[in-house]
Amino acid sequence: MSATNVNEVRKAGVEPDEWESLKAYTNARIALGRTGISVPLRESLQFKLAHAHAKDAVYSALDLSDLQKQLAQCGLPVYCVRSQAMHRDMYLQRPDLGRLVDEHSVETLRQLNRPAVDLSIIVADGLSATAITQNAGLVVHGLVDKAKQAGYSLAPIVLVEQGRVAIMDVIGRLLNARLAVILIGERPGLSAFDSMGAYMTYAPRPGLTDESRNCISNIREQGLRPVLAVDKIMDLIRSAFRSQLTGVQLKEDSNADSLPT
Amino acid sequence: MAYSYTIGGFTYRFDTLRELLAKATPLRSGDALAGLVADSYEERVAAQIALADVPLAVFLNEAVIPYETDEVTRLIIDTHDKAAFAPISHLTVGDLRDWLLSDEADTSTLHQLASGLTPEMVSAVSKLMRNQDLILVAQKCEVVTRFRNTQGLRGRMAVRLQPNHPTDDAKGIAASIIDGLLYGSGDAMIGINPATDSPAATSRLLCMLEELRERFAIPTQSCVLSHVTTTLQLIEQQVPVDLVFQSIAGTEKANASFGINLSLLQEAYEAGLSLKRGTVGTNLMYFETGQGSALSSGAHHGVDQQTCEVRAYAVARAYQPFLVNSVVGFIGPEYLFDGKQIIRAGLEDHFCAKLMGLPMGMDICYTNHAQADQDDMDTLLTLLGVAGVNFIMGIPGADDIMLNYQSTSFHDALYARRVLGLRPAPEFEDWLLRQGIIDQQGNRLSSPIQKQLYTAWVG
C-alpha cells in the first residue's frame, strides 16, 4: 500500500492528537491519534511492518557462500561450522545447544591443529542473520587490518550457523587463541532489526559466563557505525591483552566502551 | 514419597512431589529446557490424575526445596496459617479444584482462605484447571490495596504508565507521560525502567516525576525501577520515593542472583514506610516476577518454572505489596515459546497470585523471537480483563523503545475498559473527569489541560 493510500484511509473518522509536536522529543509511538478509542489503521500497519522486519530477521539465514567469499578477501582461511541446534525453532528453545559446536564441526576445527595465536574472529547468525549480512563484512575487514598492523597473529575466521554468544569460548579454545571475538546478530527490536553485537573473551574456554565477557552492541549504520565499532573493539582487545582478562574487571580505556553484558 | 498412576497396565511413577508437579504441568519450553517435562501426552495426564489425589496436607510435609537450605521454603512453612487452612485441610488437590469452582467459594471465603494456602498447593491446583477455570476463580477474588489511590476494586482496571526512554532523556520521558495521561493511563503508577541503574539518574527521574505529579495534583504514585539497594540509598537521602521496586523469584538462590534476600526486602519495606508518603494507604512495595527466572539463574532445584513462580508470590505476600506484576512474555521463547504458552502462563500467574491474596497485574508482552504477536496480546488482555486483573501496562503504541519488547498500549487499555465496562481507579477517574480528559463514559475529550500539560513540560 502506498503512502497516499494510507493517508486517504486516515480521513475516515481519524482524529489526530494535538500534541504531535512532542514527537520531536522521543522515538516512542506517541500522539498516534485515534478513531474512537482505537489506533488509526496507518499506525497499526506501521507497527505490523516493524514487527514483520523483526520476525524476518529472526528467521533469516546466513548466505554462507557469499559471506565466505566476502570474508576470504581478508587473506585468512574461512571455515563454516554449526552449533548443535539443528534448526531455528530448536535454537530458540534450547539456548544450551546453540552454545555447543556440533560433533562434525569440532572434528573439522580440531584437525586444523593450529599453533597458538593471539586472536580468533568468529561470526555467528545469532538472532539476526540480517545484521551479519549487513555489518559483519566491514567489521571483519577492519579488525583484520588493524590486528595485523598491531602485530597480532590471527586464527582462521569461523562462520557459525545457529550460534549463541558462548560458542565463541568453545571455538576460541579449539583454535588455541588467547582472545576470541564474536560478531553476532542481536535480538531484533521494532526500532532495529539489523543490530550486530561484538563480544570478547580473554583465554576462551568452555564454561565461562557473561561476567567474563565485554560487549559492544548496536553496531549498524544507523547506530554505532561499523568503522567506529572496529576502533572500539580494538581498544578493548588492547586493554584485554594488557590486563590479561576480559569481563566486569576490565578497566576502560579512554576511548573504550567496556559495558558488562 | 512416591506417587503413581496406572493406565492400561502401565504404571507411571513419580518419585517426589517435585517430579509429580513438573510432569503434571501443561507443556512449556522452559520446563523442556530444564529436562522436567512429561515424556508423553499420556504421562502428563497420568501425572495430573495422580496429582488430583494428593491430599493438601501432604504439601505441608513434603517441601519441593528443603526447608534447611532455602529461606523461601522456611518463609512458606513458618508463616503458614493453620487456622485459615483448617476448613480445607481434608481436601485433595482435585477436591480443591472442584471446591474453588463451587458457589460456596465466594469472594469473602476465598479472601479468608488465602493465608492458609501454600504456593505449591496453589500451583498444583492450577495445573488441573482449564483456562476458563483460572478465569472464573480469579474473578471471584478481590484484592484491594492503597497508597495514593485505590487499586483492585471490582469493575476497575488500572494502568501502569511506562514512559521508558533509551537514554533516560527527561523530555523524551515527559512526552510519553503526557501522551499516556491524556489517554487516561497512569493510575496504577507512573513507572520508569531506567536505562542506567545509578543513584544519581534514579534520583533525577524521581524528582521529575514528583514535580509533575504535584504540579497537576495527580492522584497516583511514581516508581523508578532501580535495584532495591539503590532505592534504599535514595530513601536515606530523602529523595521522594513512593513505591519501592524489586524483581523477585521463588528460590533463595535465584533471589541471590538478583542481589537480594528476605531481610533486605524487609529493610526496604520498612524504609519505604518511614517516609509516610501514602495518603490513602500504606501498601508500597512493587514486585515483578516471571516464569523462568529461577531456571535462568540455574537456581530452580529441579522444580518446574510455574511452581517457582508461585513461590515468588509467597515472597511478595510477606511485604503487603501495592502491586505485583508478572512480566509474562518478557523472558523469551526458551521459557514460553509461543502465544499459546504465554496466554496459559499469564492466566496461571494471575489466578495463583490472586488466590494467594496478591494485587496482581500483568505485563502482557512478548519479544520478537517468541512466536507471538499483537493478536495474542489482544487475546490475553481480554481474558485478563474478564478475570479481573488489577492493572496492565500502558506503553506508547505498545512498543517499549528502551527494553525492546512489545506490551500493551494506552489505546489497548481504553479498548479493555470499553468492551468490559471497566473504569480507572476511583481517585484517578475523578481527576480525569475534573481535568476534562475523559467523560463519564470513558470517551477521550479535547480540553484545555492538554495544552497546559504539554506546554508546561516541553513547550
Side-chain angles (χ1 to χ4, degrees), chain A residues 17-19 22 25 29 31 33-34 47 51 55 59 187-188, chain B residues 172 179 183 337 368-371 374 399 404 411 444 454 458:
Chain A
D17 292 322
E18 291 164 36
W19 52 95
L22 298 192
Y25 301 101
R29 293 171 196 260
R34 61 197 168 102
F47 180 103
H51 185 240
K55 291 304 290 183
Y59 283 90
R187 192 184 89 196
Chain B
D179 194 57
Y183 270 92
F337 182 63
N368 285 322
H369 58 323
Q371 284 294 36
Q374 227 56 30
D399 171 13
N404 277 319
H411 293 78
R444 246 207 49 216
Y454 66 81
V458 267

PDB file of all heavy atoms in Angstrom, chain A residues 17-19 22 25 29 31 33-34 47 51 55 59 187-188, chain B residues 172 179 183 337 368-371 374 399 404 411 444 454 458:
ATOM      1  N   ASP A  17      -3.866  13.722  17.417  1.00  0.00           N
ATOM      2  CA  ASP A  17      -3.678  14.298  18.746  1.00  0.00           C
ATOM      3  C   ASP A  17      -3.069  15.683  18.614  1.00  0.00           C
ATOM      4  O   ASP A  17      -2.281  15.945  17.699  1.00  0.00           O
ATOM      5  CB  ASP A  17      -2.770  13.397  19.585  1.00  0.00           C
ATOM      6  CG  ASP A  17      -3.444  12.081  19.921  1.00  0.00           C
ATOM      7  OD1 ASP A  17      -4.654  12.094  20.179  1.00  0.00           O
ATOM      8  OD2 ASP A  17      -2.747  11.043  19.919  1.00  0.00           O
ATOM      9  N   GLU A  18      -3.451  16.559  19.573  1.00  0.00           N
ATOM     10  CA  GLU A  18      -2.989  17.951  19.482  1.00  0.00           C
ATOM     11  C   GLU A  18      -1.520  18.114  19.840  1.00  0.00           C
ATOM     12  O   GLU A  18      -0.938  19.155  19.616  1.00  0.00           O
ATOM     13  CB  GLU A  18      -3.833  18.827  20.416  1.00  0.00           C
ATOM     14  CG  GLU A  18      -5.263  18.988  19.943  1.00  0.00           C
ATOM     15  CD  GLU A  18      -6.156  19.517  21.055  1.00  0.00           C
ATOM     16  OE1 GLU A  18      -5.677  20.352  21.847  1.00  0.00           O
ATOM     17  OE2 GLU A  18      -7.310  19.084  21.140  1.00  0.00           O
ATOM     18  N   TRP A  19      -0.958  17.061  20.458  1.00  0.00           N
ATOM     19  CA  TRP A  19       0.417  17.208  20.955  1.00  0.00           C
ATOM     20  C   TRP A  19       1.445  16.523  20.050  1.00  0.00           C
ATOM     21  O   TRP A  19       2.466  16.046  20.521  1.00  0.00           O
ATOM     22  CB  TRP A  19       0.521  16.685  22.394  1.00  0.00           C
ATOM     23  CG  TRP A  19      -0.008  15.287  22.595  1.00  0.00           C
ATOM     24  CD1 TRP A  19       0.732  14.134  22.569  1.00  0.00           C
ATOM     25  CD2 TRP A  19      -1.351  14.901  22.875  1.00  0.00           C
ATOM     26  NE1 TRP A  19      -0.084  13.056  22.795  1.00  0.00           N
ATOM     27  CE2 TRP A  19      -1.365  13.482  22.991  1.00  0.00           C
ATOM     28  CE3 TRP A  19      -2.555  15.591  23.030  1.00  0.00           C
ATOM     29  CZ2 TRP A  19      -2.537  12.761  23.255  1.00  0.00           C
ATOM     30  CZ3 TRP A  19      -3.717  14.863  23.297  1.00  0.00           C
ATOM     31  CH2 TRP A  19      -3.704  13.479  23.410  1.00  0.00           C
ATOM     32  N   LEU A  22       5.223  16.944  20.300  1.00  0.00           N
ATOM     33  CA  LEU A  22       6.064  16.241  21.278  1.00  0.00           C
ATOM     34  C   LEU A  22       6.866  15.105  20.653  1.00  0.00           C
ATOM     35  O   LEU A  22       7.809  14.600  21.252  1.00  0.00           O
ATOM     36  CB  LEU A  22       5.202  15.677  22.421  1.00  0.00           C
ATOM     37  CG  LEU A  22       4.430  16.665  23.286  1.00  0.00           C
ATOM     38  CD1 LEU A  22       3.877  15.969  24.513  1.00  0.00           C
ATOM     39  CD2 LEU A  22       5.327  17.818  23.714  1.00  0.00           C
ATOM     40  N   TYR A  25      10.665  14.874  20.710  1.00  0.00           N
ATOM     41  CA  TYR A  25      11.482  14.550  21.883  1.00  0.00           C
ATOM     42  C   TYR A  25      11.723  13.065  22.108  1.00  0.00           C
ATOM     43  O   TYR A  25      12.474  12.675  22.984  1.00  0.00           O
ATOM     44  CB  TYR A  25      10.835  15.146  23.146  1.00  0.00           C
ATOM     45  CG  TYR A  25      10.681  16.635  23.067  1.00  0.00           C
ATOM     46  CD1 TYR A  25       9.455  17.218  22.756  1.00  0.00           C
ATOM     47  CD2 TYR A  25      11.784  17.460  23.263  1.00  0.00           C
ATOM     48  CE1 TYR A  25       9.321  18.586  22.661  1.00  0.00           C
ATOM     49  CE2 TYR A  25      11.661  18.840  23.160  1.00  0.00           C
ATOM     50  CZ  TYR A  25      10.424  19.398  22.857  1.00  0.00           C
ATOM     51  OH  TYR A  25      10.300  20.746  22.761  1.00  0.00           O
ATOM     52  N   ARG A  29       6.168   5.705  20.274  1.00  0.00           N
ATOM     53  CA  ARG A  29       4.998   5.881  19.389  1.00  0.00           C
ATOM     54  C   ARG A  29       3.926   6.712  20.097  1.00  0.00           C
ATOM     55  O   ARG A  29       2.870   6.193  20.457  1.00  0.00           O
ATOM     56  CB  ARG A  29       4.451   4.516  18.982  1.00  0.00           C
ATOM     57  CG  ARG A  29       5.419   3.766  18.087  1.00  0.00           C
ATOM     58  CD  ARG A  29       5.001   2.323  17.835  1.00  0.00           C
ATOM     59  NE  ARG A  29       6.147   1.599  17.301  1.00  0.00           N
ATOM     60  CZ  ARG A  29       6.322   1.333  15.998  1.00  0.00           C
ATOM     61  NH1 ARG A  29       5.424   1.679  15.117  1.00  0.00           N
ATOM     62  NH2 ARG A  29       7.415   0.706  15.591  1.00  0.00           N
ATOM     63  N   ALA A  31       1.349  10.257  20.394  1.00  0.00           N
ATOM     64  CA  ALA A  31       0.470  11.083  19.547  1.00  0.00           C
ATOM     65  C   ALA A  31       0.052  10.340  18.282  1.00  0.00           C
ATOM     66  O   ALA A  31       0.151  10.851  17.171  1.00  0.00           O
ATOM     67  CB  ALA A  31       1.165  12.402  19.196  1.00  0.00           C
ATOM     68  N   GLY A  33      -2.896   9.482  17.529  1.00  0.00           N
ATOM     69  CA  GLY A  33      -4.256   9.797  17.105  1.00  0.00           C
ATOM     70  C   GLY A  33      -5.171   8.628  17.414  1.00  0.00           C
ATOM     71  O   GLY A  33      -4.749   7.634  18.023  1.00  0.00           O
ATOM     72  N   ARG A  34      -6.431   8.753  16.983  1.00  0.00           N
ATOM     73  CA  ARG A  34      -7.381   7.699  17.338  1.00  0.00           C
ATOM     74  C   ARG A  34      -8.576   7.719  16.406  1.00  0.00           C
ATOM     75  O   ARG A  34      -8.881   8.736  15.779  1.00  0.00           O
ATOM     76  CB  ARG A  34      -7.867   7.894  18.768  1.00  0.00           C
ATOM     77  CG  ARG A  34      -8.592   9.217  18.949  1.00  0.00           C
ATOM     78  CD  ARG A  34      -8.711   9.602  20.408  1.00  0.00           C
ATOM     79  NE  ARG A  34      -9.146  10.979  20.534  1.00  0.00           N
ATOM     80  CZ  ARG A  34     -10.400  11.354  20.823  1.00  0.00           C
ATOM     81  NH1 ARG A  34     -11.334  10.457  21.011  1.00  0.00           N
ATOM     82  NH2 ARG A  34     -10.718  12.625  20.901  1.00  0.00           N
ATOM     83  N   PHE A  47       3.218  -0.432  12.736  1.00  0.00           N
ATOM     84  CA  PHE A  47       3.674  -1.338  13.802  1.00  0.00           C
ATOM     85  C   PHE A  47       3.871  -2.742  13.228  1.00  0.00           C
ATOM     86  O   PHE A  47       4.899  -3.386  13.455  1.00  0.00           O
ATOM     87  CB  PHE A  47       2.623  -1.347  14.922  1.00  0.00           C
ATOM     88  CG  PHE A  47       2.964  -2.228  16.089  1.00  0.00           C
ATOM     89  CD1 PHE A  47       3.433  -1.679  17.274  1.00  0.00           C
ATOM     90  CD2 PHE A  47       2.798  -3.610  16.014  1.00  0.00           C
ATOM     91  CE1 PHE A  47       3.751  -2.483  18.357  1.00  0.00           C
ATOM     92  CE2 PHE A  47       3.105  -4.421  17.098  1.00  0.00           C
ATOM     93  CZ  PHE A  47       3.578  -3.864  18.267  1.00  0.00           C
ATOM     94  N   HIS A  51       7.255  -5.059  13.059  1.00  0.00           N
ATOM     95  CA  HIS A  51       7.302  -6.408  13.631  1.00  0.00           C
ATOM     96  C   HIS A  51       7.654  -7.440  12.562  1.00  0.00           C
ATOM     97  O   HIS A  51       8.403  -8.391  12.823  1.00  0.00           O
ATOM     98  CB  HIS A  51       5.956  -6.743  14.292  1.00  0.00           C
ATOM     99  CG  HIS A  51       5.958  -8.061  15.019  1.00  0.00           C
ATOM    100  ND1 HIS A  51       5.118  -9.087  14.689  1.00  0.00           N
ATOM    101  CD2 HIS A  51       6.723  -8.516  16.035  1.00  0.00           C
ATOM    102  CE1 HIS A  51       5.378 -10.136  15.487  1.00  0.00           C
ATOM    103  NE2 HIS A  51       6.331  -9.803  16.320  1.00  0.00           N
ATOM    104  N   LYS A  55      10.622 -10.135  12.716  1.00  0.00           N
ATOM    105  CA  LYS A  55      10.415 -11.588  12.578  1.00  0.00           C
ATOM    106  C   LYS A  55      11.235 -12.148  11.416  1.00  0.00           C
ATOM    107  O   LYS A  55      11.840 -13.208  11.528  1.00  0.00           O
ATOM    108  CB  LYS A  55       8.931 -11.910  12.342  1.00  0.00           C
ATOM    109  CG  LYS A  55       8.013 -11.661  13.502  1.00  0.00           C
ATOM    110  CD  LYS A  55       8.416 -12.398  14.765  1.00  0.00           C
ATOM    111  CE  LYS A  55       8.213 -13.904  14.698  1.00  0.00           C
ATOM    112  NZ  LYS A  55       8.563 -14.537  16.011  1.00  0.00           N
ATOM    113  N   TYR A  59      14.237 -15.130  11.545  1.00  0.00           N
ATOM    114  CA  TYR A  59      14.240 -16.353  10.738  1.00  0.00           C
ATOM    115  C   TYR A  59      15.131 -16.246   9.486  1.00  0.00           C
ATOM    116  O   TYR A  59      15.108 -17.127   8.638  1.00  0.00           O
ATOM    117  CB  TYR A  59      12.800 -16.749  10.373  1.00  0.00           C
ATOM    118  CG  TYR A  59      12.109 -17.402  11.546  1.00  0.00           C
ATOM    119  CD1 TYR A  59      11.388 -16.640  12.467  1.00  0.00           C
ATOM    120  CD2 TYR A  59      12.239 -18.774  11.777  1.00  0.00           C
ATOM    121  CE1 TYR A  59      10.791 -17.236  13.576  1.00  0.00           C
ATOM    122  CE2 TYR A  59      11.646 -19.376  12.880  1.00  0.00           C
ATOM    123  CZ  TYR A  59      10.924 -18.610  13.768  1.00  0.00           C
ATOM    124  OH  TYR A  59      10.341 -19.204  14.870  1.00  0.00           O
ATOM    125  N   ARG A 187      19.136  -9.599  19.219  1.00  0.00           N
ATOM    126  CA  ARG A 187      17.688  -9.781  19.187  1.00  0.00           C
ATOM    127  C   ARG A 187      17.025  -8.559  18.556  1.00  0.00           C
ATOM    128  O   ARG A 187      17.208  -7.448  19.022  1.00  0.00           O
ATOM    129  CB  ARG A 187      17.160  -9.957  20.605  1.00  0.00           C
ATOM    130  CG  ARG A 187      15.734 -10.424  20.647  1.00  0.00           C
ATOM    131  CD  ARG A 187      15.236 -10.489  22.065  1.00  0.00           C
ATOM    132  NE  ARG A 187      14.674  -9.228  22.467  1.00  0.00           N
ATOM    133  CZ  ARG A 187      14.434  -8.862  23.718  1.00  0.00           C
ATOM    134  NH1 ARG A 187      14.772  -9.650  24.694  1.00  0.00           N
ATOM    135  NH2 ARG A 187      13.896  -7.710  23.996  1.00  0.00           N
ATOM    136  N   PRO A 188      16.303  -8.744  17.456  1.00  0.00           N
ATOM    137  CA  PRO A 188      15.720  -7.589  16.773  1.00  0.00           C
ATOM    138  C   PRO A 188      14.635  -6.919  17.614  1.00  0.00           C
ATOM    139  O   PRO A 188      13.831  -7.579  18.252  1.00  0.00           O
ATOM    140  CB  PRO A 188      15.102  -8.196  15.513  1.00  0.00           C
ATOM    141  CG  PRO A 188      15.695  -9.555  15.377  1.00  0.00           C
ATOM    142  CD  PRO A 188      15.997  -9.995  16.772  1.00  0.00           C
TER     143      PRO A 188
ATOM    144  N   GLY B 172      12.077  13.372  26.685  1.00  0.00           N
ATOM    145  CA  GLY B 172      11.539  12.202  25.994  1.00  0.00           C
ATOM    146  C   GLY B 172      10.581  11.441  26.896  1.00  0.00           C
ATOM    147  O   GLY B 172       9.506  11.006  26.463  1.00  0.00           O
ATOM    148  N   ASP B 179       1.452  11.892  26.882  1.00  0.00           N
ATOM    149  CA  ASP B 179       0.663  11.096  25.945  1.00  0.00           C
ATOM    150  C   ASP B 179      -0.218  10.116  26.724  1.00  0.00           C
ATOM    151  O   ASP B 179      -1.419   9.996  26.470  1.00  0.00           O
ATOM    152  CB  ASP B 179       1.617  10.338  25.008  1.00  0.00           C
ATOM    153  CG  ASP B 179       0.916   9.740  23.793  1.00  0.00           C
ATOM    154  OD1 ASP B 179       0.274  10.499  23.044  1.00  0.00           O
ATOM    155  OD2 ASP B 179       1.024   8.515  23.596  1.00  0.00           O
ATOM    156  N   TYR B 183      -4.412   9.936  27.515  1.00  0.00           N
ATOM    157  CA  TYR B 183      -5.201   8.779  27.099  1.00  0.00           C
ATOM    158  C   TYR B 183      -5.769   8.035  28.306  1.00  0.00           C
ATOM    159  O   TYR B 183      -6.218   6.890  28.192  1.00  0.00           O
ATOM    160  CB  TYR B 183      -4.357   7.837  26.223  1.00  0.00           C
ATOM    161  CG  TYR B 183      -4.457   8.186  24.740  1.00  0.00           C
ATOM    162  CD1 TYR B 183      -3.551   9.043  24.137  1.00  0.00           C
ATOM    163  CD2 TYR B 183      -5.489   7.658  23.964  1.00  0.00           C
ATOM    164  CE1 TYR B 183      -3.660   9.374  22.794  1.00  0.00           C
ATOM    165  CE2 TYR B 183      -5.605   7.980  22.621  1.00  0.00           C
ATOM    166  CZ  TYR B 183      -4.688   8.840  22.037  1.00  0.00           C
ATOM    167  OH  TYR B 183      -4.813   9.152  20.716  1.00  0.00           O
ATOM    168  N   PHE B 337       7.265 -20.424  24.689  1.00  0.00           N
ATOM    169  CA  PHE B 337       7.657 -20.398  23.284  1.00  0.00           C
ATOM    170  C   PHE B 337       6.760 -19.547  22.392  1.00  0.00           C
ATOM    171  O   PHE B 337       7.221 -18.835  21.527  1.00  0.00           O
ATOM    172  CB  PHE B 337       7.711 -21.819  22.727  1.00  0.00           C
ATOM    173  CG  PHE B 337       8.168 -21.867  21.286  1.00  0.00           C
ATOM    174  CD1 PHE B 337       9.447 -21.422  20.953  1.00  0.00           C
ATOM    175  CD2 PHE B 337       7.342 -22.325  20.282  1.00  0.00           C
ATOM    176  CE1 PHE B 337       9.887 -21.447  19.638  1.00  0.00           C
ATOM    177  CE2 PHE B 337       7.775 -22.348  18.959  1.00  0.00           C
ATOM    178  CZ  PHE B 337       9.051 -21.909  18.644  1.00  0.00           C
ATOM    179  N   ASN B 368      10.519 -10.310  20.193  1.00  0.00           N
ATOM    180  CA  ASN B 368      10.409 -10.597  18.762  1.00  0.00           C
ATOM    181  C   ASN B 368      10.891 -11.982  18.370  1.00  0.00           C
ATOM    182  O   ASN B 368      10.649 -12.416  17.246  1.00  0.00           O
ATOM    183  CB  ASN B 368      11.166  -9.539  17.954  1.00  0.00           C
ATOM    184  CG  ASN B 368      10.389  -8.243  17.925  1.00  0.00           C
ATOM    185  OD1 ASN B 368       9.169  -8.254  17.837  1.00  0.00           O
ATOM    186  ND2 ASN B 368      11.089  -7.129  18.024  1.00  0.00           N
ATOM    187  N   HIS B 369      11.592 -12.682  19.261  1.00  0.00           N
ATOM    188  CA  HIS B 369      11.976 -14.049  18.896  1.00  0.00           C
ATOM    189  C   HIS B 369      10.987 -15.083  19.447  1.00  0.00           C
ATOM    190  O   HIS B 369      11.190 -16.278  19.266  1.00  0.00           O
ATOM    191  CB  HIS B 369      13.434 -14.358  19.242  1.00  0.00           C
ATOM    192  CG  HIS B 369      13.822 -14.209  20.681  1.00  0.00           C
ATOM    193  ND1 HIS B 369      13.340 -13.229  21.510  1.00  0.00           N
ATOM    194  CD2 HIS B 369      14.693 -14.923  21.433  1.00  0.00           C
ATOM    195  CE1 HIS B 369      13.890 -13.358  22.700  1.00  0.00           C
ATOM    196  NE2 HIS B 369      14.702 -14.372  22.687  1.00  0.00           N
ATOM    197  N   ALA B 370       9.917 -14.639  20.108  1.00  0.00           N
ATOM    198  CA  ALA B 370       8.853 -15.564  20.505  1.00  0.00           C
ATOM    199  C   ALA B 370       7.829 -15.645  19.370  1.00  0.00           C
ATOM    200  O   ALA B 370       7.680 -14.694  18.606  1.00  0.00           O
ATOM    201  CB  ALA B 370       8.180 -15.073  21.777  1.00  0.00           C
ATOM    202  N   GLN B 371       7.148 -16.793  19.293  1.00  0.00           N
ATOM    203  CA  GLN B 371       6.120 -16.945  18.257  1.00  0.00           C
ATOM    204  C   GLN B 371       4.818 -16.339  18.757  1.00  0.00           C
ATOM    205  O   GLN B 371       3.887 -17.047  19.149  1.00  0.00           O
ATOM    206  CB  GLN B 371       5.908 -18.426  17.925  1.00  0.00           C
ATOM    207  CG  GLN B 371       7.002 -19.023  17.079  1.00  0.00           C
ATOM    208  CD  GLN B 371       7.051 -18.434  15.685  1.00  0.00           C
ATOM    209  OE1 GLN B 371       6.804 -17.246  15.494  1.00  0.00           O
ATOM    210  NE2 GLN B 371       7.395 -19.232  14.693  1.00  0.00           N
ATOM    211  N   GLN B 374       0.727  -9.182  18.274  1.00  0.00           N
ATOM    212  CA  GLN B 374      -0.230  -8.332  18.975  1.00  0.00           C
ATOM    213  C   GLN B 374      -1.616  -8.992  19.075  1.00  0.00           C
ATOM    214  O   GLN B 374      -2.356  -8.711  20.008  1.00  0.00           O
ATOM    215  CB  GLN B 374      -0.294  -6.966  18.270  1.00  0.00           C
ATOM    216  CG  GLN B 374      -0.209  -5.776  19.216  1.00  0.00           C
ATOM    217  CD  GLN B 374       1.024  -5.751  20.119  1.00  0.00           C
ATOM    218  OE1 GLN B 374       2.078  -6.251  19.765  1.00  0.00           O
ATOM    219  NE2 GLN B 374       0.889  -5.170  21.293  1.00  0.00           N
ATOM    220  N   ASP B 399       5.035  -0.322  22.192  1.00  0.00           N
ATOM    221  CA  ASP B 399       6.412  -0.573  21.740  1.00  0.00           C
ATOM    222  C   ASP B 399       7.366   0.094  22.724  1.00  0.00           C
ATOM    223  O   ASP B 399       7.457   1.323  22.753  1.00  0.00           O
ATOM    224  CB  ASP B 399       6.546   0.014  20.320  1.00  0.00           C
ATOM    225  CG  ASP B 399       7.972   0.037  19.801  1.00  0.00           C
ATOM    226  OD1 ASP B 399       8.858  -0.607  20.402  1.00  0.00           O
ATOM    227  OD2 ASP B 399       8.191   0.714  18.772  1.00  0.00           O
ATOM    228  N   ASN B 404      13.010  -2.859  24.310  1.00  0.00           N
ATOM    229  CA  ASN B 404      12.886  -3.606  23.050  1.00  0.00           C
ATOM    230  C   ASN B 404      11.978  -4.822  23.120  1.00  0.00           C
ATOM    231  O   ASN B 404      12.385  -5.934  22.790  1.00  0.00           O
ATOM    232  CB  ASN B 404      14.268  -4.041  22.559  1.00  0.00           C
ATOM    233  CG  ASN B 404      14.947  -2.934  21.802  1.00  0.00           C
ATOM    234  OD1 ASN B 404      14.313  -2.238  21.008  1.00  0.00           O
ATOM    235  ND2 ASN B 404      16.233  -2.758  22.056  1.00  0.00           N
ATOM    236  N   HIS B 411      -4.008   2.885  24.116  1.00  0.00           N
ATOM    237  CA  HIS B 411      -5.213   2.566  23.339  1.00  0.00           C
ATOM    238  C   HIS B 411      -5.771   1.195  23.753  1.00  0.00           C
ATOM    239  O   HIS B 411      -6.979   1.016  23.861  1.00  0.00           O
ATOM    240  CB  HIS B 411      -4.911   2.548  21.833  1.00  0.00           C
ATOM    241  CG  HIS B 411      -4.552   3.877  21.253  1.00  0.00           C
ATOM    242  ND1 HIS B 411      -3.307   4.437  21.414  1.00  0.00           N
ATOM    243  CD2 HIS B 411      -5.259   4.756  20.499  1.00  0.00           C
ATOM    244  CE1 HIS B 411      -3.265   5.611  20.778  1.00  0.00           C
ATOM    245  NE2 HIS B 411      -4.441   5.830  20.213  1.00  0.00           N
ATOM    246  N   ARG B 444     -12.519   9.874  25.333  1.00  0.00           N
ATOM    247  CA  ARG B 444     -11.482  10.882  25.469  1.00  0.00           C
ATOM    248  C   ARG B 444     -11.983  12.211  24.938  1.00  0.00           C
ATOM    249  O   ARG B 444     -12.643  12.302  23.921  1.00  0.00           O
ATOM    250  CB  ARG B 444     -10.237  10.464  24.704  1.00  0.00           C
ATOM    251  CG  ARG B 444      -9.079  10.184  25.626  1.00  0.00           C
ATOM    252  CD  ARG B 444      -7.787  10.414  24.895  1.00  0.00           C
ATOM    253  NE  ARG B 444      -7.828  11.699  24.211  1.00  0.00           N
ATOM    254  CZ  ARG B 444      -7.277  11.902  23.035  1.00  0.00           C
ATOM    255  NH1 ARG B 444      -6.697  10.944  22.401  1.00  0.00           N
ATOM    256  NH2 ARG B 444      -7.336  13.100  22.498  1.00  0.00           N
ATOM    257  N   TYR B 454       1.203  19.795  28.088  1.00  0.00           N
ATOM    258  CA  TYR B 454       2.373  19.595  27.248  1.00  0.00           C
ATOM    259  C   TYR B 454       3.201  20.845  27.035  1.00  0.00           C
ATOM    260  O   TYR B 454       4.411  20.759  26.845  1.00  0.00           O
ATOM    261  CB  TYR B 454       2.057  18.839  25.954  1.00  0.00           C
ATOM    262  CG  TYR B 454       1.167  19.494  24.938  1.00  0.00           C
ATOM    263  CD1 TYR B 454       1.669  20.439  24.059  1.00  0.00           C
ATOM    264  CD2 TYR B 454      -0.156  19.101  24.814  1.00  0.00           C
ATOM    265  CE1 TYR B 454       0.851  20.998  23.093  1.00  0.00           C
ATOM    266  CE2 TYR B 454      -0.972  19.660  23.844  1.00  0.00           C
ATOM    267  CZ  TYR B 454      -0.468  20.618  22.995  1.00  0.00           C
ATOM    268  OH  TYR B 454      -1.260  21.159  22.040  1.00  0.00           O
ATOM    269  N   VAL B 458       7.254  20.574  27.978  1.00  0.00           N
ATOM    270  CA  VAL B 458       8.288  20.556  26.956  1.00  0.00           C
ATOM    271  C   VAL B 458       8.267  21.813  26.113  1.00  0.00           C
ATOM    272  O   VAL B 458       9.195  22.073  25.368  1.00  0.00           O
ATOM    273  CB  VAL B 458       8.177  19.305  26.064  1.00  0.00           C
ATOM    274  CG1 VAL B 458       9.047  18.207  26.585  1.00  0.00           C
ATOM    275  CG2 VAL B 458       6.767  18.846  25.950  1.00  0.00           C
TER     276      VAL B 458
END
